[in-house]
């Protein structure tokens, strides 16, 4: 199992191990043991309302869920299969059309089987969030491959 934890490793996992996240353009900006910062570039095809261009909540959910899962890897410094058990998202305001969305996710507690996360989605100022989230994730959810192993099989570089 890889012990390398840097932005390139996580980006490779997203690009090669989570195809829908690669397709929508999720990017890793920062990562440390305290959490991760990811972004999603604005794309008109993700507008929930084509009249005003506001992003669909589901695309923001995907960004938050992905960052929340990856922040567990950053905290534990270990890759393993994980599964989202519960993800509560409070949408505080609509995302501004034309602006990229960022999310900061942190893992604040880990037990033998469960990891607990918090995340916010925002544009340029984390103090002015679009959405707030808390989540729980099952650790070692399957006996299958972890995302870093699956990504390597698909041709990711380490």
């Amino acid at each position: 199992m890889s012990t390398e934890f840097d932005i390139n490793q996580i980006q490779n996992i997203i690009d090669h191990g989570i195809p829908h996240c690669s397709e929508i353009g999720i990017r890793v900006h920062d990562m440390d043991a305290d959490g991760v910062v990811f972004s999603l570039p604005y794309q008109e095809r993700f507008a929930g309302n084509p009249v005003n261009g506001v992003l669909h909540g589901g695309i923001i959910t995907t960004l938050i869920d992905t960052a929340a899962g990856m922040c567990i890897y950053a905290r534990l410094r270990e890759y393993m299969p994980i599964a989202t058990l519960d993800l509560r998202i409070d949408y505080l305001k609509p995302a501004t059309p034309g602006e990229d969305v960022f999310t900061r996710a942190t893992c604040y507690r880990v037990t033998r089987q469960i990891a607990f996360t918090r995340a916010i989605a925002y544009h340029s100022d984390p103090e002015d969030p679009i959405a707030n989230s808390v989540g729980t994730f099952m650790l070692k959810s399957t006996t299958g491959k972890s995302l870093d192993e699956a990504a390597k099989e698909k041709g990711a570089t380490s």
Side-chain angles (χ1 to χ4, degrees):
M1 181 137 337
S2 174
T3 58
E4 184 177 340
F5 286 84
D6 64 23
I7 289 173
N8 294 328
Q9 173 83 8
I10 297 295
Q11 190 66 59
N12 278 330
I13 289 171
I14 290 169
D15 290 345
H16 299 281
I18 315 172
H20 67 281
C21 292
S22 176
E23 170 62 28
I24 65 174
I26 290 179
R27 291 284 164 252
V28 183
H29 289 274
D30 193 18
M31 182 186 84
D32 58 33
D34 293 328
V36 299
V37 176
F38 286 14
S39 72
L40 178 68
Y42 180 84
Q43 299 172 56
E44 284 185 21
R45 67 184 175 141
F46 300 136
N49 182 337
V51 174
N52 64 16
V54 171
L55 290 176
H56 188 281
I59 203 76
I60 295 170
T61 297
T62 300
L63 176 64
I64 290 171
D65 187 34
T66 304
M70 293 294 171
C71 79
I72 296 166
Y73 293 152
R75 165 109 185 237
L76 296 178
R77 302 200 55 82
E78 177 183 354
Y79 294 111
M80 67 185 73
I82 62 172
T84 308
L85 292 175
D86 183 51
L87 188 66
R88 178 195 162 105
I89 300 177
D90 295 318
Y91 290 93
L92 307 172
K93 67 179 189 175
T96 304
E99 289 192 32
D100 296 350
V101 177
F102 294 85
T103 190
R104 168 92 175 142
T106 59
C107 178
Y108 66 93
R109 180 160 166 71
V110 178
T111 68
R112 264 183 353 104
Q113 297 179 322
I114 308 293
F116 299 84
T117 65
R118 293 184 184 112
I120 57 165
Y122 58 95
H123 289 300
S124 59
D125 182 3
E127 298 299 316
D128 186 23
I130 298 164
N132 180 62
S133 172
V134 293
T136 55
F137 293 77
M138 178 182 278
L139 305 177
K140 300 177 184 167
S141 59
T142 72
T143 57
K145 297 175 188 153
S146 61
L147 285 174
D148 68 318
E149 293 169 325
K152 284 179 186 172
E153 287 181 4
K154 301 256 184 209
T157 58
S158 31

